[in-house]
Amino acid sequence: MSGTTASGRGRTAGVPGHTGGGVNRWTVLTVLCVSLLFVALDTTILYVAVPSVTEDLRPGPVELLWIVDIYPLIAASLLILFGTLGDRVGRRRVLLLGYGLFALASAAAALAPNPQILMAARALLGIGGAMIMPATLSILRQVFPDRRERAVAIGMWSAVAAVGAAVGPVLGGFLVENFWWGSVFLINIPMMAAMFLIGRWLLPESRGERNGPWDLLGAVIAAFGVLGIVFGVKRLGSGAPVVGVTTLLPIAVGTVLLVLFVRRQRRRAHPLIDMRLFARPAFGTSIGCIVLAMLALVGLQLIAVQYLQLVLGLSPLETGLRMLPLVFAAMAAGLTGSKVLQALGPRVMVSAGFTLTAIAVLSLTAMGTHDRFWQLSLGFVLLGFGFQSTLFGAYESMLSEAPAAQSGGAAALGETAYQLGAGIGVALLGSVMNAAYAPGLSRVDGVSAGASRSASHSLGEAYKVAAGLGEHARQALRLAARDAFVHGLRVTLVASGVLLLVGAAIALRLPRRAAESGERAEAGAPAEEGAGGAAAANVPAAGREGAPAPARTGR
């Protein structure tokens, strides 16, 4: 089937192929999920390669944080810009350009000769990811207008996102152990090339209603606002003074820019993001839950990988394999999420997911300098299932709360919340970890004050310092550093658990039943034409929920 918008512009976001032929919507979902898989994979695949990157390129502590974190931060800041660009020139077109840039940036990262080039390449990867990510969720919302089918699709989508992020350390560990750290980027090149060809052949093109001018200035303001806040938080996490040009000033400027962005969107007849979405309590609550979930766990995952390698002495591959229980539990939560949502409703599902994740995180505080395989595995199972249940319920509630005509704006906000929470989480929990770790190395027998200061930057740095000392001092420093790291890990786990329990309380504002949200969204007044946001819906009235559905392509 094919069709046009009411204004006659563009194609529908139903499932017409770009050649006009029918394309199975489940096939489209498969392509979108594979696209998301590699974008999510790149968020965590570098974690187990950090020791190898440190040894080879010798980045400083701040440079190392930026190498890991700049990818999600750049992606988060540009989601709105590229989402709205897709509305104008075609979402498939921007998606294909994203594939190309992702492949080129991966080649640059793999061959980076110094930390600066690697950071720049990771930034380009973030730009490519920002081109790819908005399309996956907004197209999913429109290809699946029926809420029950959409819940199944979101379950598959969220499971793939979890698998990508969680399999990253496994795949990264295998590649680092058998090749070198640059190989974690090289694998993107053939896959992005394949996705480019498959996407060009199978994916339908769709555009939003292009009424009114595109607010490029607003998108730029939002991008710099996000970057300003996160840059300031990262500087605080690296130990910079609380009151300083590189800490509070960027946070203040970023906050002002985001306030200006919101005011600008409220005044415009055709905004990038329709701020009336936040008048729906469940929508804003869902966004907040996504931010809190990512903030509490992504930074913790980086620390956990360091614990497995540097404290327990596991190889990169063994480290990745230890995280497989988390992967399988997350997959199970995503694939069963639709049934759980129908049985429990968004409120109970998301709140219980937060609570289960908090229990899992707090149970891991019993971990010490000795390996406790079964305890760690059980904690990872509970963590994976609870965390993925939380994200599934929050995303489904967010998309269903937004009318179909505003699904693109909802998708951009959800993905921005995901990436922003991940970026701030690395900085925030990293700063908590550093604050708890450093005092444990203030005085070590046989180690000079200068060596102790260097060792207090990180556990990896402590091992390097210890390698240049005598036998007694070396053993004393390594033991003190491991004990300090475990203490810092426990403090960080408690902080993460508190954030998750706060999320459980916030989730109580979600609707009790899965149907309440969708009923309100469809009953609400239609948004102004063109106010659909980052990827305005392009579905004819017959394709929306509550209207007679046209004959669909085969399952």
Side-chain angles (χ1 to χ4, degrees):
M1 81 179 173
S2 63
T4 59
T5 63
S7 62
R9 295 173 180 168
R11 292 196 184 132
T12 71
V15 203
H18 67 279
T19 60
V23 176
N24 187 298
R25 62 190 179 281
W26 298 100
T27 303
V28 172
L29 174 64
T30 300
V31 176
L32 297 177
C33 284
V34 175
S35 302
L36 178 67
L37 175 65
F38 281 88
V39 173
L41 193 72
D42 232 58
T43 304
T44 58
I45 196 171
L46 190 61
Y47 286 178
V48 293
V50 165
S52 298
V53 171
T54 302
E55 181 179 353
D56 191 14
L57 301 184
R58 300 195 177 278
V62 175
E63 289 177 322
L64 186 60
L65 271 178
W66 275 109
I67 288 171
V68 172
D69 210 23
I70 197 168
Y71 168 76
L73 299 186
I74 292 294
S77 66
L78 296 177
L79 285 168
I80 293 174
L81 190 152
F82 285 117
T84 55
L85 180 63
D87 278 348
R88 294 287 164 165
V89 304
R91 300 178 188 116
R92 184 176 70 110
R93 181 175 299 174
V94 172
L95 184 64
L96 296 179
L97 288 173
Y99 290 153
L101 181 59
F102 209 83
L104 291 174
S106 296
L111 302 175
N114 56 57
Q116 294 74 30
I117 297 296
L118 182 55
M119 279 189 286
R122 289 277 288 172
L124 289 177
L125 280 169
I127 297 173
M131 292 178 169
I132 296 170
M133 280 187 286
T136 62
L137 200 53
S138 59
I139 291 176
L140 183 153
R141 170 65 172 88
Q142 297 165 42
V143 169
F144 293 90
D146 178 77
R147 182 162 187 177
R148 287 184 181 272
E149 281 193 347
R150 186 170 64 246
V152 174
I154 291 175
M156 296 175 65
W157 178 90
S158 62
V160 166
V163 168
V167 168
V170 181
L171 182 58
F174 172 80
L175 293 171
V176 170
E177 194 164 295
N178 290 277
F179 302 98
W180 95 109
W181 63 263
S183 61
V184 304
F185 299 110
L186 283 183
I187 62 166
N188 292 331
I189 299 174
M191 293 310 303
M192 286 297 122
M195 290 309 302
F196 182 91
L197 296 175
I198 294 172
R200 185 174 176 81
W201 177 41
L202 288 181
L203 288 180
E205 181 63 282
S206 63
R207 297 181 179 86
E209 296 180 352
R210 292 173 288 178
N211 297 316
W214 180 43
D215 187 14
L216 175 60
L217 178 60
V220 172
I221 290 173
F224 279 102
V226 171
L227 280 178
I229 290 177
V230 177
F231 177 78
V233 172
K234 285 181 61 62
R235 289 294 296 158
L236 287 174
S238 67
V242 175
V243 180
V245 176
T246 61
T247 50
L248 286 187
L249 181 60
I251 293 174
V253 171
T255 301
V256 170
L257 288 175
L258 290 183
V259 170
L260 290 176
F261 172 75
V262 171
R263 296 183 62 180
R264 180 181 177 86
Q265 299 310 298
R266 286 176 173 171
R267 290 197 304 265
R268 292 181 66 84
H270 306 286
L272 292 173
I273 300 295
D274 188 354
M275 292 300 163
R276 291 176 298 175
L277 285 171
F278 287 95
R280 303 174 184 270
F283 184 86
T285 300
S286 298
I287 293 290
C289 288
I290 293 170
V291 172
L292 266 176
M294 296 305 298
L295 191 153
L297 287 177
V298 170
L300 184 62
Q301 187 176 15
L302 176 59
I303 297 169
V305 168
Q306 293 176 332
Y307 167 77
L308 292 172
Q309 288 192 59
L310 299 178
V311 175
L312 298 187
L314 302 181
S315 69
L317 179 57
E318 290 171 332
T319 297
L321 292 174
R322 281 298 184 90
M323 302 189 77
L324 281 179
L326 188 152
V327 176
F328 294 137
M331 290 175 62
L335 296 176
T336 60
S338 177
K339 293 183 179 180
V340 175
L341 180 70
Q342 291 300 320
L344 300 180
R347 178 185 299 179
V348 175
M349 183 177 187
V350 177
S351 185
F354 267 123
T355 303
L356 180 60
T357 309
I359 291 172
V361 166
L362 293 175
S363 72
L364 293 176
T365 57
M367 301 302 295
T369 56
H370 299 289
D371 191 1
R372 298 178 181 177
F373 176 83
W374 293 110
Q375 183 179 354
L376 184 65
S377 298
L378 177 61
F380 277 169
V381 167
L382 296 177
L383 191 152
F385 195 91
F387 177 58
Q388 192 57 32
S389 297
T390 298
L391 282 186
F392 174 91
Y395 268 112
E396 202 283 338
S397 184
M398 177 199 72
L399 285 181
S400 297
E401 184 70 17
Q406 300 179 39
S407 62
L413 287 172
E415 288 295 283
T416 300
Y418 183 100
Q419 295 295 332
L420 190 60
I424 294 178
V426 171
L428 180 62
L429 293 186
S431 66
V432 172
M433 178 69 189
N434 291 338
Y437 166 78
L441 297 176
S442 59
R443 183 176 298 175
V444 181
D445 291 340
V447 179
S448 67
S452 295
R453 280 195 300 270
S454 297
S456 67
H457 293 153
S458 68
L459 182 57
E461 187 69 22
Y463 284 175
K464 288 182 184 179
V465 172
L469 301 176
E471 179 65 24
H472 174 74
R474 178 168 63 250
Q475 293 300 326
L477 181 57
R478 288 177 65 90
L479 179 61
R482 281 200 300 270
D483 289 342
F485 187 91
V486 170
H487 170 70
L489 176 61
R490 289 170 176 163
V491 172
T492 307
L493 287 167
V494 171
S496 180
V498 170
L499 289 173
L500 290 165
L501 292 175
V502 169
I506 292 174
L508 296 177
R509 299 187 65 216
L510 291 170
R512 290 180 182 274
R513 297 185 298 112
E516 290 179 20
S517 175
E519 289 166 358
R520 285 201 303 272
E522 294 303 321
E528 294 178 33
E529 192 175 45
N538 199 10
V539 181
R544 294 182 186 164
E545 295 167 328
R552 292 178 182 148
T553 54
R555 295 176 79 96

